Amino acid sequence: MNTLKKYILIGGAIMLAACSKEIAVENPDDAVTFSASPSSTKTAYSDEGAKVSVSWVEGDCIGIWSGSGTSTLKSNSQYRAVSSGASSGFEFVSRSERIRWEEERQSFYAIYPYDAEAGSDPRMASLEIPSLQRQTSADDISNLRNQDIMWACAPDLTRGENDEVKLDFHHALTILDLELSTDKRMIVDRIVFECISSETAPLSFENGSIDLSTGTITAGSKTSASITLECGFAVSWPATTHFYIAFNPSLASETMRISAVVGGQKKTLAERTLPASGAGAGKVLNVKVDYEVPESDAIQIKDLSEVSTANTYLVTSPGEYYRFKANVKGNGQIPQALQSVVEGTDITPGSVLVLWYNCLQTSNKWVDLCPIVMGSLVLQNGYVYFDTPSEFINGNVVIAAFAEEGLDYDSISVDAKGNIDNATLLWSWNIWAVEGLDLEAEALNLEYTAANGQKTPFTVMNRNLGAIFSGDQLPASDTKGYYAAAALGNLYQWGRKDPIPHIADYENYWPIGNVNKLLTTPTYTPIVALQKTPSTSETLDRQMFVQKGGKIATEGNPAVDECLFSFDKNTVSFSQAINEAAKYPYKYFKCAGSHTYDKHWFPNNPATDPWKYLWGDCDTDDGTALEKTLFDPCPPGWKLWQEETINAFVQKGAESASIAPGGHGLMVAGSYFGYNAGGRNEDMSESYSEPVVICGYACPIGLISGTGADRYNHQILRYTLWKSPTSSANSSISVTVSNPNGGDAKKAGSYSVRCIKE
C-alpha cells in the first residue's frame, strides 16, 4: 500500500517527507532538546469548509536555526523526528551541527522539509514554488511532501526555563484541492491552474524566500502566473478524483482558472476569484467540479468477464483499465449434484476491498507492492473496476465483495480467531497479473492415449495457475529460489476456488523444515484488522499469515492457528463447510476430530456427500471432459486439468525429464514443474528431505476407484508424478515416475494446479 495516503488534506493527516534513518544520538548536556507539533486544525477557504490537520512521521527532517538578538548562532542544522504522531521529539543528525545553548536568551527557527540549500539567515530562508508539479495517480499526493512548506519560530527563550523547546509549525502555502467528478472515465494529461486577471501574478516563482519569524513570503525571480500539474492517469470514476497544487498564498482578489488537458485539448473546468484578504497561508482552496466527459475523451475499459465470468482474471498491461462482473459467483454453474448444498449463484455486493496481494520478490528484503492501483478499486452497477499501475507489478491480488456498503480498510473487525465478524464476505476473485502473458500463444499441446487407443488432445497452460514465470524463464543466478517461488504459482485446497495466502519465512529464506528451496513469498493485506506482524529480526508488516516462534526447521510446525478455520466433523455439515470456505477465502480450512479427518477441510460421508463434484465430473479415464463449476479457479476459457492431462505428460515426457535450469524443478514435455515440497499440509507446513515434484491435484475428480472406503482414505487427489531419489536438487539425478495412485487423500493440503482450454 502506498503510505503516502496518510497525507490527506480534508479531515485527515499530512504525510511529511522522510529522510534516511540513522542510529539515534543522545543529546549532550549543552544541546537544546526540541519537540514539534504542526499547528492545530484550521478552517480552510472552501465551498464547504475543508480542513487541514497534520502529523509527524518518524524520520521526518527539518532544518533549525538559533540566534540571539539579530545575530545567528547556528544555521540550518538538520534534525529528524524520533516518533510518529501529532507531536514528536527531534534529534540532531550530525553531532557537530547540533543546536546548543550559547546565550542566556536565544530564539529558534525551523522549516519543513529540510533543505540543505536553505541558507544561513532564518529571515530569508530559500523558498521556491515550482511552476511544474506532478501527481502520479488519483490516490497519490506525494507531490505535496516537499511543497507543503511549514515554518516555526520560538522567540527569545531563557535557558533553564525551557528544558525542551517546543516548535509550533504553520503552513506557508495555500493548497488547491480540485475535486473532480465525471460521468465517464477519462485520462487527465495535466491540470493547469492560472491567474487570468493578471499576467504578472506570482502564483509560482524561483529564488524566493520566507521569513521564519513571521512566515512572510517574498517572491523571487522567474515568477509565473500559472502552475501545471502533470498527471497522465484516469479519473477514479465513479468516485471523485482529487488533484492537489501548492501555490503562493499572497494572491488576493485575482480571478483564477482551472483547466484540464485531455487528449491534447485544454478544457476549462472552473473559474474562482480569490478572497480580497488573500488566499491565505495554510488554507485549502477546495473546488468541486462535475464534468460531463465527451464520448471521444472516454477511455476504453477492458471487460475481463465479457466472454464469461470466472474466479480468476488475467491482467497483462501496465496503465490499463479493467472491470469484471461482481454479481455472480464464479462462472455461475452449479453441478446438479451440488444443487442442494450450494447457496445460489447471484450476489449483490455493497463494497469491494483488496483482501490480500503478493508480488515478485528477488531477495529476503521483502518488497510490498500491489499489482493493482488500490485507490482505483470501485464497485459500480454490478461491476468491479480497477487500474494497473503505470509500472507493471507482477503478482496476484484477491478482491473481496462484501454485502455491506461503505466498508473501508479500517472499518473491518475480526473476532478472537481472526474471522471477520462485522461484515459478510459474499465472494472473491483472484487477479493474476503477469505483464505481456499470452496464455494461448505459450500453451502446450499434448495428447493422451488411453488403454483402448482413444486419444484425447489437451491445450495446457505452460505454467501453474498464478505463476509469474514459466520455468524456462528463471535466471541462472536465482540460487536462493526467489524467482522459482514466483514460478510455483498459487496453492489451492482441493475443491476451493481461492488461492491460499502464502506464508513467508521471516528470519531467512528457508520456508519450512528440511526443505532446500524457497517455497512461497510474503502475502500482504491492507485490511488493518487482518494484519499480522511477526516479532522477528526480519520484521514484515501487514502479513496475512505469520510464523510465530522462529523457524519451523528448529521448532516444529508454525503457530498459525489464527490462519486456520477448524471445525468438528460431527457438528458442521458439508454444505456449511463449503459455503464458509467462500465466506473466509483468506483462511486455511481444516476439519478436526480424528487423524483421518484432520487431513480434510470439510466433513463428508463418502457414500452420500457430493464432495467429488466440487471441481467437476467424478468419472475417471473415460474420455469425458470435466464440466467447469463455480468453484473452478481457472480464468475464462480455461478449466482445471484432469487425470488424462497428467497422463499425457507422463506419456510424452517422463522418460526424458531433466533438471530445470537453476535446479529448482524439472522440465517435462517442455514444461516446468517446480519443487514444491508437497505443497502445504493441513497445518500449513510440510517437511520433505528430498526435492519432490508434486503435480498437485492432478485430477479434480480425485482418482476415484474401488470401495467407498478407498474413495475416502486412499487413491484420492494427491498425485506424485515425478520424484527425485536424492536430496540435492542440483545434482545429476534419474527422474522416475512414481505410482500415480499412491498417497493419502489429504484434501486439507494445498497444491499448485494448472488449467486446460475448455
Side-chain angles (χ1 to χ4, degrees), residues 628-689:
K628 185 175 180 179
T629 77
L630 81 164
F631 295 114
D632 187 302
C634 295
W638 299 81
K639 63 182 179 181
L640 283 166
W641 59 357
Q642 56 197 70
E643 181 182 2
E644 292 92 337
T645 313
I646 299 298
N647 286 333
F649 275 102
V650 175
Q651 291 176 349
K652 183 174 181 178
E655 292 183 359
S656 61
S658 61
I659 298 296
H664 299 290
L666 300 178
M667 297 300 297
V668 182
S671 186
Y672 172 80
F673 291 87
Y675 294 131
N676 64 8
R680 295 294 193 193
N681 70 12
E682 63 276 7
D683 291 314
M684 278 297 289
S685 178
E686 191 68 290
S687 178
Y688 273 75
S689 60

Side-chain angles (χ1 to χ4, degrees), residues 485 488-494 499-506 509-515 517-523 545-547 552-553 556-558 560 564 588-589 598-601 675-688 694 696-697 718 745-752:
L488 184 63
N490 295 327
L491 302 178
Y492 294 84
Q493 287 186 290
W494 187 88
I500 300 300
H502 290 170
I503 181 172
D505 171 72
Y506 307 117
Y509 52 83
W510 306 114
I512 50 181
N514 300 322
V515 172
K517 295 297 170 188
L518 183 70
L519 181 59
T520 56
T521 47
T523 297
F545 282 1
V546 296
Q547 170 182 311
I552 304 169
N557 286 344
V560 292
L564 296 174
Y588 198 88
F589 272 52
D598 68 7
K599 294 178 181 175
H600 302 269
W601 67 264
Y675 294 131
N676 64 8
R680 295 294 193 193
N681 70 12
E682 63 276 7
D683 291 314
M684 278 297 289
S685 178
E686 191 68 290
S687 178
Y688 273 75
I694 303 284
Y697 298 122
R718 186 174 175 192
K746 290 188 67 173
K747 293 185 291 294
S750 58
Y751 299 87
S752 53

